[in-house]
């Protein structure tokens, strides 16, 4: 066995030793995928930097420490609906929680759901609608091998289902709050399944938080299925800690005329990697992916995106901006694949980076792979410092240098924030970004854990 296999060996051994415990704390559709995932992981292993999509991320080192797992599905003593208030002012949401990787019983929602809409744990859904879960679970994530996804599939015991039936348009945002909190170092494996029927519309807000001094390792796999003319807006906000490691893999499959957007705002973290795979399978489908990264210290953020244009007349738009300070590292790789039958494709891809310190590093790799001849595709990237001319201009008008730098950094990130269509969320994010640049970022103002 190569040394590269040592990191996953502890999890493979744990899985085989405690297979009965994994199955007992889960449900049939999830259990049915474990064996194949374990066999694939043993054959291929976790990705190393030799794998193109992981060239800027040392995955084996991230998984090498011996983290604990909550295999017996022990619930937190406190009810999160009583303890936590992760709210955006003036934004009405239907609120749900995941504590580490356990889905606590729902006792309250800030907004009701229309008839037919389902937001519940995967294990609960598997009891009531097993064929539905079996039909969609691991369908998108299992098409191509990914080591992190295979590990998640082998170990995960529960997750969240969000189902919006045909024609239903949700007025309220669904908010899923992921909380890492434990008495010791802990690994959590989360799964989210989003299914939107024909013409359905929904906005989903993911908030990630970590409390305490413990080290947390999280894998999360999100599968999104958008039927014809469906519209799904996804927002992901990370406010974790410097000792938090998070791998977030998102797989979206879109049918004709569907619209899916993903907006990732990384405010505080340790090491974070987001991998987004979009497959545009029906004519006229559209994808947008936007990201804002603020990193300093020794933080590392890697965003890797693949947009597969498999049908004609589809569009994709990618915009990612990084502000890197200290010894932080930011990486972006975006690949737009235009297949032979995907004529009349339109695609735009932009990545821009500011290194606010001489020791920060940025890696940018926008890519186009085109097999059709009637397309409009372009990409661009830039890595640089703050505009010294603009700084001089502002200082000449009495603005202190520190304040001028803050204003320029905020203006740089603001291009991404303006793509947030929820007004109250956009205002809240603008405020948090300002606090982040000033070194004053606090946790959610309504969270009882933070006061």
């Amino acid at each position: 066995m190569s040394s590269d296999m040592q990191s996953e060996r502890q999890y493979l051994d744990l899985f085989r030793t405690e297979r009965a415990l994994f199955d007992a704390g889960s449900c049939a559709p999830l259990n049915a995928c474990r064996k194949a995932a374990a066999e694939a992981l043993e054959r291929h292993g976790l990705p190393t930097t030799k794998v193109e999509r992981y060239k800027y991320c040392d995955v084996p080192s991230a998984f090498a420490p011996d983290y604990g797992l909550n295999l017996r599905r022990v619930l937190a003593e406190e009810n999160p609906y009583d303890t936590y208030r992760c709210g955006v002012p003036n934004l009405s949401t239907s609120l749900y929680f995941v504590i580490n990787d356990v889905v606590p019983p729902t006792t309250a929602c800030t907004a009701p759901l229309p008839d037919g809409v389902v937001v519940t744990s995967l294990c609960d859904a598997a009891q009531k609608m097993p064929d539905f879960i079996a039909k969609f679970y691991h369908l998108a994530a299992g098409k191509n091998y990914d080591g992190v996804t295979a590990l998640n599939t082998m170990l995960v015991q529960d997750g969240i289902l969000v189902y919006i039936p045909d024609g239903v348009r949700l007025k309220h945002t669904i908010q899923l709050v992921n909380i890492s909190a434990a008495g010791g170092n802990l690994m959590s494996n989360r799964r989210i399944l989003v299914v939107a029927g024909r013409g359905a519309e929904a906005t989903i807000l993911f908030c990630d938080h970590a409390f305490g001094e413990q080290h947390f390792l999280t894998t999360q796999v999100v599968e999104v299925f958008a039927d014809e003319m469906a519209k799904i807006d996804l927002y992901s906000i990370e406010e974790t800690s410097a000792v938090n490691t998070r791998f977030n893999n998102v797989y979206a499959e879109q049918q004709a005329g569907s619209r899916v957007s993903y907006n990732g705002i990384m405010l505080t973290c340790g090491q974070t990697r987001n991998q987004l795979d979009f497959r545009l399978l029906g004519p006229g489908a559209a994808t947008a992916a936007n990201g804002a990264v603020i990193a300093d210290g020794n933080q590392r953020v890697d965003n890797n995106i693949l947009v597969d244009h498999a049908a004609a007349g589809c569009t994709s738009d990618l915009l990612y901006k990084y502000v890197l300070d200290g010894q932080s590292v930011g990486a972006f790789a975006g690949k737009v694949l235009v297949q032979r039958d995907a004529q009349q494709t339109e695609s735009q891809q932009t990545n821009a980076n500011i290194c606010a310190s001489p020791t920060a590093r940025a890696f940018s790799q926008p890519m186009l792979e085109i097999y059709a001849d009637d397309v409009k595709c372009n990409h661009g990237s830039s890595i640089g410092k703050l505009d010294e001319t603009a700084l001089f201009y502002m200082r000449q008008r009495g603005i202190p240098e520190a304040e001028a730098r803050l204003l320029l950094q905020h203006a740089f990130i603001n291009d991404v924030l303006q793509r947030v269509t929820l007004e109250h969320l956009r205002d809240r994010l603008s405020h948090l970004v300002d606090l982040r640049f000033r070194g004053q970022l606090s946790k959610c103002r309504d969270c009882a854990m933070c006061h």
Side-chain angles (χ1 to χ4, degrees):
M1 184 192 310
S2 70
S3 59
D4 289 340
M5 291 290 291
Q6 296 300 324
S7 295
E8 59 266 27
R9 173 52 57 190
Q10 61 179 322
Y11 298 107
L12 286 164
D13 290 345
L14 175 67
F15 168 70
R16 294 194 172 103
T17 302
E18 303 292 350
R19 174 66 191 270
L21 202 56
F22 278 101
D23 288 354
S26 189
C27 55
L30 278 63
N31 293 337
C33 298
R34 295 190 197 282
K35 182 180 178 181
E39 291 173 349
L41 183 63
E42 183 148 43
R43 283 196 309 272
H44 304 290
L46 288 170
T48 68
T49 53
K50 297 177 183 179
V51 176
E52 180 66 23
R53 297 194 73 175
Y54 285 87
K55 66 186 296 183
Y56 302 117
C57 184
D58 186 357
V59 178
S61 293
F63 284 87
D66 184 12
Y67 290 91
L69 284 86
N70 184 6
L71 296 185
R72 299 184 184 278
R73 320 312 294 151
V74 178
L75 288 170
E77 293 182 3
E78 296 177 326
N79 184 336
Y81 292 93
D82 297 331
T83 307
Y84 300 91
R85 292 293 181 271
C86 183
V88 177
N90 302 314
L91 180 66
S92 179
T93 67
S94 296
L95 185 62
Y96 301 87
F97 289 90
V98 179
I99 308 298
N100 300 316
D101 54 15
V102 176
V103 183
T106 302
T107 58
C109 293
T110 55
L113 295 173
D115 291 341
V117 176
V118 177
V119 182
T120 189
S121 74
L122 285 174
C123 288
D124 180 66
Q127 296 294 322
K128 301 173 182 176
M129 41 202 299
D131 293 341
F132 182 89
I133 300 301
K135 176 182 177 181
F136 289 102
Y137 178 76
H138 203 54
L139 175 63
K143 281 188 166 62
N144 298 301
Y145 178 78
D146 177 88
V148 174
T149 296
L151 182 70
N152 175 280
T153 304
M154 179 180 75
L155 301 179
V156 71
Q157 292 178 278
D158 203 357
I160 292 284
L161 166 68
V162 179
Y163 169 57
I164 308 98
D166 293 353
V168 175
R169 299 180 178 180
L170 292 182
K171 295 181 180 179
H172 298 289
T173 298
I174 294 173
Q175 185 178 12
L176 303 180
V177 180
N178 296 317
I179 296 174
S180 295
N185 298 345
L186 186 69
M187 178 185 187
S188 299
N189 299 287
R190 301 167 179 157
R191 204 76 178 218
I192 300 170
L193 176 60
V194 179
V195 181
R198 180 182 176 88
E201 295 185 8
T203 300
I204 304 174
L205 171 62
F206 304 104
C207 299
D208 280 79
H209 302 282
F211 299 108
E213 302 299 322
Q214 288 74 28
H215 293 238
F216 296 105
L217 170 63
T218 301
T219 71
Q220 177 173 280
V221 175
V222 182
E223 294 181 279
V224 179
F225 297 90
D227 206 342
E228 295 180 0
M229 306 307 294
K231 181 182 178 183
I232 304 175
D233 293 327
L234 305 173
Y235 294 93
S236 176
I237 303 171
E238 183 174 2
E239 292 182 78
T240 56
S241 67
V243 292
N244 194 83
T245 301
R246 178 173 176 264
F247 289 86
N248 176 43
N249 289 2
V250 179
Y251 300 88
E253 295 198 349
Q254 300 179 231
Q255 303 303 323
S258 62
R259 301 286 186 270
V260 174
S261 70
Y262 184 92
N263 303 269
I265 312 295
M266 282 132 280
L267 295 169
T268 57
C269 67
Q271 176 174 330
T272 287
R273 186 176 190 278
N274 299 297
Q275 180 170 301
L276 313 180
D277 287 21
F278 299 93
R279 299 186 69 220
L280 307 182
L281 301 174
T287 289
N290 309 299
V293 176
I294 304 172
D296 55 18
N298 294 307
Q299 297 171 355
R300 300 180 65 96
V301 179
D302 182 358
N303 287 291
N304 190 292
I305 305 168
L306 170 64
V307 182
D308 183 356
H309 285 259
C314 296
T315 62
S316 60
D317 187 2
L318 279 59
L319 174 63
Y320 275 74
K321 288 197 168 187
Y322 293 60
V323 176
L324 306 171
D325 208 342
Q327 294 79 45
S328 62
V329 178
F332 170 85
K335 179 178 179 179
V336 175
L337 170 62
V338 182
Q339 298 192 29
R340 197 173 306 278
D341 293 332
Q343 303 293 343
Q344 298 179 323
T345 287
E346 294 188 14
S347 178
Q348 170 72 37
Q349 181 181 174
T350 303
N351 171 231
N353 306 271
I354 287 179
C355 291
S357 75
T359 52
R361 289 182 291 161
F363 301 93
S364 182
Q365 191 180 19
M367 296 169 282
L368 294 173
E369 186 173 337
I370 302 173
Y371 298 98
D373 53 18
D374 181 11
V375 302
K376 296 179 181 178
C377 299
N378 61 75
H379 59 60
S381 70
S382 63
I383 300 174
K385 301 184 296 183
L386 285 175
D387 189 336
E388 295 295 335
T389 301
L391 275 174
F392 177 79
Y393 178 87
M394 296 172 75
R395 292 184 66 188
Q396 287 292 98
R397 279 145 184 80
I399 301 176
E401 181 177 357
E403 185 70 18
R405 289 183 178 275
L406 291 173
L407 292 172
L408 289 176
Q409 290 173 343
H410 198 145
F412 179 77
I413 290 292
N414 195 56
D415 290 343
V416 176
L417 300 184
Q418 289 305 307
R419 296 195 174 195
V420 175
T421 58
L422 296 174
E423 179 183 358
H424 299 304
L425 178 59
R426 183 172 63 248
D427 292 343
R428 178 63 173 166
L429 287 173
S430 181
H431 175 64
L432 292 176
V433 166
D434 184 69
L435 292 177
R436 178 68 172 89
F437 282 132
R438 296 178 185 278
Q440 302 170 359
L441 181 60
S442 61
K443 300 294 182 181
C444 291
R445 65 181 183 90
D446 293 327
C447 181
M449 282 290 291
C450 307
H451 294 282

